[in-house]
Amino acid sequence: MKTIPEAILKAWDEEREGFCILTTATPDGEPNAIYVGIVGHCPEGFFIANNYFHKTLANLEANPKASLLFITKERKAYQIKGTISFLTEGPVYDAMKAANKPEYPGHSAALLSVETIYSGAEQLV
């Protein structure tokens, strides 16, 4: 896990717009992208609420590598790449549950441990 630079956290907290896109791949390499709305950051990386993961969950169980894409109001895109683990207790899980709407199941918190961060073609981390 790598430390998330302050500039990325600022872009996330103050400039991010709309939903994020989480991308995974099947064991044979077929990509799968979904919109995710319940996403946050913590010292360990970025968490995503596993509310209705189906293909995504199967993909991550077979291959835990994923990327998370977000865009700022100025249309600057950031792509965070790493490995996902699933948490069903502890502070990250609690943070996901607090951010999640009560009507959503929040089965687990998918924790994306940061390995690389890009803005366009430029690798930042």
Side-chain angles (χ1 to χ4, degrees):
M1 175 187 73
K2 302 215 176 155
T3 303
I4 305 165
E6 286 299 319
I8 305 301
L9 294 176
K10 182 178 185 224
W12 177 269
D13 290 335
E14 299 175 17
E15 303 166 17
R16 180 173 51 105
E17 185 170 81
F19 287 98
C20 299
I21 298 171
L22 178 66
T23 305
T24 61
T26 63
D28 63 351
E30 182 179 343
N32 183 62
I34 62 169
Y35 283 111
V36 288
I38 309 301
V39 185
H41 65 81
C42 57
E44 295 85 356
F46 287 83
F47 63 83
I48 303 111
N50 169 9
N51 286 317
Y52 301 107
F53 287 1
H54 296 291
K55 286 188 289 185
T56 299
L57 181 60
N59 289 349
L60 290 169
E61 287 173 341
N63 174 9
K65 297 292 186 179
S67 69
L68 182 68
L69 177 71
F70 75 94
I71 193 166
T72 67
K73 294 172 188 158
E74 292 78 27
R75 299 298 182 240
K76 186 167 185 176
Y78 293 94
Q79 184 178 178
I80 298 105
K81 296 183 179 188
T83 302
I84 290 201
S85 57
F86 290 94
L87 306 173
T88 56
E89 59 184 23
V92 175
Y93 176 77
D94 294 342
M96 178 278 298
K97 287 299 264 187
N100 209 19
K101 292 182 179 179
E103 62 267 24
Y104 294 153
H107 301 295
S108 61
L111 176 62
L112 178 63
S113 295
V114 176
E115 294 167 10
T116 56
I117 300 176
Y118 288 85
S119 179
E122 179 184 3
Q123 184 173 344
L124 306 175
V125 172

